[in-house]
Amino acid sequence: MLLKTVIVLTIVGLVGSSSNVDPQNVTDSYSNFANGNSTIKWGSVPAGDPYQTDTTYDSAGLQPLFDFARSFLSTIQPKDFPFDTIKDLTKGKFETSQIQSLGTDYFIGWGVCIVLGLLFIFLMPIVGGCFCCCRCCGNCGGSKTQDPANYENGKCRRFVFGILLLICIIFMGAGMVCTYVNNSRFTAALKETKTRSNSSLGDVTRYLDNTINAIEFVAQKGFNFTKRVIVRDLDNIGVLVGIPVQSTLGTTGGVNSAISGIIGLDTSVQSLSSTLLSLNDSVNNLKNMSELLLSALATERTSINNTLATCGALCNSMNVDSLNVDFNFNNLDDLSSNMDKMKSVSSKNLTALALDGKKEFDDIPKRVTNDTQSTVNSMKDLLKDMDKTIDNALGGITGLTNSTSSITDIEKTIVEYVDIALKYDNYRAQGGNGLTSVILVIVVLMFLGLLMGLCGSSASDPADKRSGLSNCGGNLLMSAVGLMFIFSWLFMLLVFIIFLTGGMMERNICQPIRDKSAFKELIDGPDSVIISGTGYPLGEMILQNRSINLTMSGILENCGKNQAAYSAMRLDALFDLTAVTDYKKTINLTAEIDKLDTDFSTLTILTPETRQQLNDFSDGLDINFTSFTTELTKNATQVDLVAYANELNVLAGVIAASKPAEAANLNTSADNLREVNKNEVYQVTAAKGRLKTSMNNFESAVGPLPTQINSSIDTITTSETYLRNQGSGLVKNVAQTYGNRVIGTADQFAAHALKSVQEDLGKCKAVSDIWKSLVEILLCSYIVDALNGFWFSFGWCLFFFIPSIIFSVKLAKHFKTMDNTADNYGKGQNIPMNAVGPSNELV
């Protein structure tokens, strides 16, 4: 029976403490997790498809050349583009004095270069023609004679002119190589245009798709998960509301301990029934023993009275009335009524009766669930409405994917045009290589001429004795001079056009873009070129508010830090996310939670039968132990029978002489009293001891049980009364905590959505990379740098044309075979043209 009670109490305890929601944890395939307290740990927003924009740049080892070109451009235009002047011009404030400042500060360098270029284009052919005529007249190094006086310092001149020409050849060769490489850079730029437009414009589509997918993940997947958590809590309203109500009554109200105490009484009933039976047996045994003692004492009292009556005056000292019992067992309570009640209680299953009442108490969560079902269904309908609202909102956002078709069309168009350009770029490449090959021929001719001239003769050789190899070297040098005069104007015209195009783009477009000054002057700063007035034009264009500090340079900088588009573009001024995420305007959960109520008017924890059994149990324990204690403290007889027997023996001795018959009777009575004391008195004393032990055992077993029983009854009665009268208010108080839990779950979603939009959604590093790839790298690095590298390297070669012409002409005089000797020098000068024979041709 004890084991049964322990098991029952354990089950009751487990049932009472089973307050976990089901399921305990909520998870999904996106790593979102909610524990039993509805605290959500959100999964990471998907990164989406990887971006393919290439932000690397390979200068093919020409970066120093490009830097030289930029340095040259910065020298001829030391100041940045005159945006202020453009502003004044657009506002009609342009003054004449600004023309001089504009020309002095910005365009004087360009003007000088343009003038020099035009002079070069026009003068070089003229100078070349004059030079040719001059040589035909025997001047400008065209004479076949050489002053013998020059022989002495000819070695020094050959060496100096040779070194200087070699330096020019090396520099021209370097420029020629750079020109070849730069010529191929145009083809590389076209290929990069195709590659980068594909990847960058593709990344625009990917950025939109990734952003939309991230929005769907946060809004749709996040809300679906939040809805699952809330629905889990709604389905567990009995656990989350009913059990706290039950726990408040069970712990604070003492219902749990009271019911557990009643269940524990089941063991006490059996034990106390046995103890009470033992007590009743002890009482009956004492009564039986007492009756035997009374009978024995009555017999002896009668015998002694008869003897004393014939004895006379000598026996008047003996008091026969004291031969009687000292206690009255009729004063002991009758235990039959207690026994009947204990038998009635023990015949019932008190544990089962208590568990019936416990079931009513344990069904409080179920009662709460049933009574709030309509409210829960209404709240679920609100969540479905919110789900539809989110789906409708996402429908407008996902519609943006349709706009990517135009991006795809642009991408296809670019590819088509680039393919056409690549097809015809072969002609451009061949033309560029052809022009560069002219420089290559010039460099080769000069190098071979220098090499043959130096190797074919020495400075000490007479002018008319120089070898054919040396003479060939001189002719090669003059051939190079002729080619330089012929093509120099064409080269300069090409350089002139590319210089103006690439230089202007580099200095006035690319450099302002790189240092962000173009944005600050055009659209960023107050009173910009595009939009006049104070404030920030981009703020007005995008956010319709010029006071908002929104700048293109700031957007690119923030996107370079991979910030979310909402933060990078200051969209907080356009979209109030706190208003968007305020779900309470759409789903009024608070109003629905206020409707939660439960009717406890019919709740009965302690059934009438159980109450009657507990009252019977309490009555069965109500025994007047005071009467027992009073009677048990008394002696078995009023006098000591042994002492009384001794007195009879003494009296018998006194009357033995005069009345021997009476003396013999008194001695017999004394012996009988000693036998009574030995038998009956002893048995009564032993019965009293057993009764006292049974009484003590019963008193110990009963202890505070009556008080506990009455307290349990009162506690449960009070809890029933409280639930019936105040249960609805208690439910509303607990429902407030429950409502905070449900609303807190929704608030977690709102906070997560807000944080995601501000920090995670649409991270625009891709936007910054697209800008960098298409503008800073493709346009400014590949295309503009290729233009600047081409004109700079070509111009570099042209720069060395003039000294190369001079040194080539000078060295040709020292390499070619002359007609004069030391004896006839001067006689053959100014030879008439008709006197010159085949052997005296001018070279």
Side-chain angles (χ1 to χ4, degrees):
M1 180 57 93
L2 178 60
L3 179 60
K4 173 186 174 182
T5 302
V6 171
I7 294 174
V8 170
L9 289 175
T10 302
I11 294 174
V12 170
L14 290 175
V15 171
S17 63
S18 179
S19 59
N20 292 331
V21 293
D22 182 30
Q24 178 68 20
N25 299 320
V26 180
T27 59
D28 63 7
S29 59
Y30 304 101
S31 300
N32 296 318
F33 174 83
N35 60 18
N37 296 323
S38 292
T39 300
I40 299 177
K41 182 179 180 182
W42 300 101
S44 301
V45 177
D49 295 333
Y51 297 109
Q52 299 176 6
T53 297
D54 184 10
T55 57
T56 61
Y57 170 60
D58 181 14
S59 63
L62 296 176
Q63 193 59 45
L65 177 66
F66 301 147
D67 292 338
F68 279 135
R70 292 194 189 100
S71 178
F72 177 78
L73 293 172
S74 298
T75 300
I76 64 174
Q77 182 185 326
K79 292 188 177 181
D80 294 332
F81 187 79
F83 291 104
D84 294 336
T85 304
I86 302 300
K87 290 180 186 177
D88 294 337
L89 183 61
T90 56
K91 296 176 183 178
K93 298 180 180 179
F94 191 75
E95 299 178 0
T96 307
S97 60
Q98 291 180 283
I99 297 177
Q100 181 179 359
S101 175
L102 189 64
T104 303
D105 296 337
Y106 296 100
F107 298 116
I108 187 171
W110 293 101
V112 171
C113 291
I114 291 172
V115 170
L116 291 177
L118 292 175
L119 287 175
F120 191 94
I121 292 171
F122 289 106
L123 291 180
M124 281 300 286
I126 296 173
V127 171
C130 294
F131 180 73
C132 182
C133 294
C134 180
R135 286 184 64 83
C136 289
C137 294
N139 297 316
C140 303
S143 175
K144 292 291 287 183
T145 61
Q146 190 171 12
D147 188 354
N150 292 335
Y151 293 168
E152 297 176 0
N153 56 4
K155 183 176 181 179
C156 179
R157 289 186 178 185
R158 277 164 53 99
F159 178 76
V160 173
F161 290 151
I163 292 298
L164 293 176
L165 182 59
L166 179 61
I167 292 173
C168 291
I169 292 172
I170 292 173
F171 279 111
M172 286 180 64
M176 177 267 301
V177 172
C178 292
T179 304
Y180 267 121
V181 176
N182 270 286
N183 187 53
S184 64
R185 295 285 290 179
F186 289 105
T187 303
L190 283 174
K191 292 180 179 178
E192 283 292 327
T193 301
K194 182 177 181 179
T195 302
R196 289 180 182 270
S197 62
N198 282 338
S199 60
S200 298
L201 294 179
D203 277 353
V204 173
T205 302
R206 278 184 284 272
Y207 177 73
L208 290 175
D209 291 341
N210 289 343
T211 301
I212 292 171
N213 290 336
I215 293 174
E216 289 180 340
F217 175 83
V218 172
Q220 197 173 60
K221 302 299 189 297
F223 181 75
N224 287 339
F225 182 77
T226 304
K227 184 172 68 175
R228 285 181 57 198
V229 177
I230 294 177
V231 169
R232 188 270 309 265
D233 290 346
L234 292 176
D235 291 339
N236 285 272
I237 191 171
V239 174
L240 298 173
V241 176
I243 286 184
V245 171
Q246 183 189 56
S247 177
T248 300
L249 293 172
T251 304
T252 306
V255 174
N256 282 337
S257 59
I259 293 179
S260 299
I262 292 173
I263 295 174
L265 290 176
D266 201 6
T267 302
S268 300
V269 167
Q270 306 301 325
S271 176
L272 286 172
S273 295
S274 176
T275 305
L276 183 60
L277 179 62
S278 176
L279 176 63
N280 188 60
D281 291 341
S282 297
V283 170
N284 292 331
N285 180 256
L286 178 60
K287 288 181 178 181
N288 293 332
M289 295 299 103
S290 297
E291 289 175 355
L292 292 176
L293 178 60
L294 281 172
S295 176
L297 291 176
T299 301
E300 295 303 320
R301 191 168 55 247
T302 301
S303 174
I304 294 173
N305 278 330
N306 293 332
T307 302
L308 293 177
T310 58
C311 181
L314 293 174
C315 299
N316 289 337
S317 60
M318 298 300 296
N319 182 11
V320 180
D321 293 334
S322 60
L323 287 176
N324 206 341
V325 294
D326 190 35
F327 65 93
N328 186 3
F329 57 83
N330 291 322
N331 290 334
L332 298 179
D333 286 354
D334 185 8
L335 300 181
S336 58
S337 175
N338 299 80
M339 289 292 296
D340 292 339
K341 290 180 178 180
M342 289 297 292
K343 288 179 180 179
S344 175
V345 173
S346 61
S347 65
K348 303 291 184 180
N349 189 341
L350 192 58
T351 297
L353 295 175
L355 288 179
D356 287 341
K358 178 67 174 175
K359 185 177 184 302
E360 283 284 326
F361 184 70
D362 289 340
D363 283 345
I364 288 178
K366 184 178 180 181
R367 182 187 291 259
V368 170
T369 300
N370 294 334
D371 291 351
T372 59
Q373 191 61 50
S374 61
T375 303
V376 168
N377 291 336
S378 298
M379 295 173 73
K380 289 181 178 180
D381 291 337
L382 288 178
L383 292 176
K384 292 179 181 178
D385 293 339
M386 185 64 180
D387 205 359
K388 293 178 181 178
T389 301
I390 292 176
D391 289 340
N392 293 334
L394 289 178
I397 295 175
T398 53
L400 294 174
T401 54
N402 297 329
S403 63
T404 58
S405 59
S406 60
I407 298 175
T408 304
D409 293 339
I410 294 173
E411 183 180 346
K412 291 180 179 178
T413 303
I414 292 175
V415 171
E416 289 176 359
Y417 281 109
V418 170
D419 288 339
I420 295 173
L422 283 172
K423 178 180 179 182
Y424 291 100
D425 181 68
N426 184 49
Y427 302 108
R428 180 212 56 80
Q430 291 178 1
N433 289 333
L435 292 175
T436 308
S437 297
V438 174
I439 297 179
L440 174 61
V441 171
I442 293 172
V443 171
V444 171
L445 288 175
M446 287 192 298
F447 179 75
L448 292 177
L450 179 62
L451 183 63
M452 290 181 181
L454 293 175
C455 295
S457 64
S458 64
S460 60
D461 292 338
D464 58 347
K465 301 297 184 181
R466 292 171 184 156
S467 66
L469 183 62
S470 176
N471 187 64
C472 183
N475 290 332
L476 290 176
L477 290 177
M478 293 310 298
S479 298
V481 171
L483 289 175
M484 283 188 278
F485 274 119
I486 292 172
F487 289 100
S488 59
W489 69 274
L490 180 60
F491 291 161
M492 181 54 74
L493 179 61
L494 180 63
V495 169
F496 180 79
I497 296 173
I498 298 177
F499 165 72
L500 289 179
T501 304
M504 287 290 184
M505 290 181 66
E506 171 63 32
R507 192 67 185 88
N508 298 310
I509 296 178
C510 289
Q511 289 188 14
I513 286 176
R514 288 192 183 99
D515 60 20
K516 305 298 188 293
S517 61
F519 302 130
K520 296 176 182 178
E521 297 294 343
L522 291 174
I523 57 176
D524 280 358
D527 197 20
S528 64
V529 174
I530 295 179
I531 302 178
S532 60
T534 59
Y536 299 92
L538 201 61
E540 182 179 17
M541 293 171 61
I542 298 179
L543 306 177
Q544 291 79 50
N545 189 344
R546 288 183 69 101
S547 63
I548 299 175
N549 185 7
L550 181 66
T551 63
M552 189 66 178
S553 57
I555 291 175
L556 291 177
E557 181 181 356
N558 292 335
C559 286
K561 297 176 182 177
N562 204 24
Q563 292 184 4
Y566 184 83
S567 301
M569 301 180 186
R570 295 295 306 275
L571 296 180
D572 55 312
L574 192 60
F575 305 103
D576 184 7
L577 281 181
T578 56
V580 176
T581 55
D582 187 7
Y583 63 90
K584 297 177 182 177
K585 295 181 180 179
T586 306
I587 52 174
N588 193 353
L589 293 176
T590 304
E592 294 298 324
I593 290 172
D594 290 340
K595 298 177 184 178
L596 294 175
D597 196 7
T598 302
D599 181 17
F600 291 111
S601 60
T602 60
L603 180 67
T604 301
I605 300 175
L606 196 63
T607 63
E609 183 180 5
T610 305
R611 190 184 299 272
Q612 183 61 45
Q613 291 298 319
L614 290 175
N615 288 328
D616 288 346
F617 190 16
S618 179
D619 293 342
L621 301 178
D622 186 16
I623 299 175
N624 184 9
F625 289 106
T626 302
S627 61
F628 280 82
T629 303
T630 300
E631 297 301 323
L632 290 177
T633 56
K634 296 178 181 180
N635 295 323
T637 57
Q638 294 180 3
V639 295
D640 186 355
L641 294 182
V642 173
Y644 195 88
N646 292 335
E647 289 180 3
L648 289 177
N649 291 135
V650 172
L651 181 60
V654 172
I655 64 172
S658 58
K659 293 185 177 186
E662 285 78 358
N665 290 334
L666 290 175
N667 286 326
T668 300
S669 295
D671 291 337
N672 290 336
L673 288 176
R674 288 188 180 90
E675 287 296 324
V676 169
N677 184 71
K678 182 178 179 181
N679 295 316
E680 281 78 6
V681 171
Y682 176 79
Q683 290 177 356
V684 167
T685 302
K688 286 174 61 180
R690 288 192 296 271
L691 177 58
K692 188 173 183 179
T693 299
S694 297
M695 183 188 69
N696 290 336
N697 291 339
F698 188 77
E699 281 185 314
S700 298
V702 171
L705 279 180
T707 303
Q708 291 178 0
I709 294 172
N710 294 331
S711 177
S712 297
I713 295 173
D714 293 340
T715 298
I716 295 176
T717 301
T718 302
S719 297
E720 287 178 343
T721 303
Y722 177 79
L723 262 182
R724 292 166 183 169
N725 298 329
Q726 305 295 331
S728 179
L730 177 60
V731 169
K732 287 189 176 296
N733 291 336
V734 176
Q736 186 63 44
T737 302
Y738 172 75
N740 293 337
R741 174 189 176 109
V742 173
I743 293 173
T745 302
D747 287 341
Q748 289 182 76
F749 167 71
H752 169 63
L754 185 63
K755 178 179 179 296
S756 297
V757 171
Q758 291 175 339
E759 299 179 8
D760 297 324
L761 297 186
K763 288 188 174 182
C764 57
K765 183 65 163 60
V767 176
S768 174
D769 289 344
I770 291 170
W771 170 267
K772 184 176 181 180
S773 178
L774 292 180
V775 178
E776 296 184 12
I777 296 178
L778 179 59
L779 174 63
C780 293
S781 294
Y782 275 100
I783 298 176
V784 175
D785 276 356
L787 289 171
N788 291 329
F790 190 83
W791 68 254
F792 188 82
S793 55
F794 230 127
W796 178 273
C797 296
L798 292 177
F799 177 79
F800 287 100
F801 268 19
I802 296 176
S804 297
I805 290 173
I806 296 172
F807 299 137
S808 294
V809 172
K810 290 291 186 180
L811 278 174
K813 191 72 175 180
H814 293 276
F815 291 161
K816 294 180 65 175
T817 303
M818 300 290 106
D819 293 337
N820 66 306
T821 61
D823 296 330
N824 60 14
Y825 177 76
K827 296 179 180 180
Q829 294 190 26
N830 301 320
I831 301 174
M833 293 293 291
N834 56 8
V836 178
S839 61
N840 294 320
E841 289 181 342
L842 295 176
V843 179

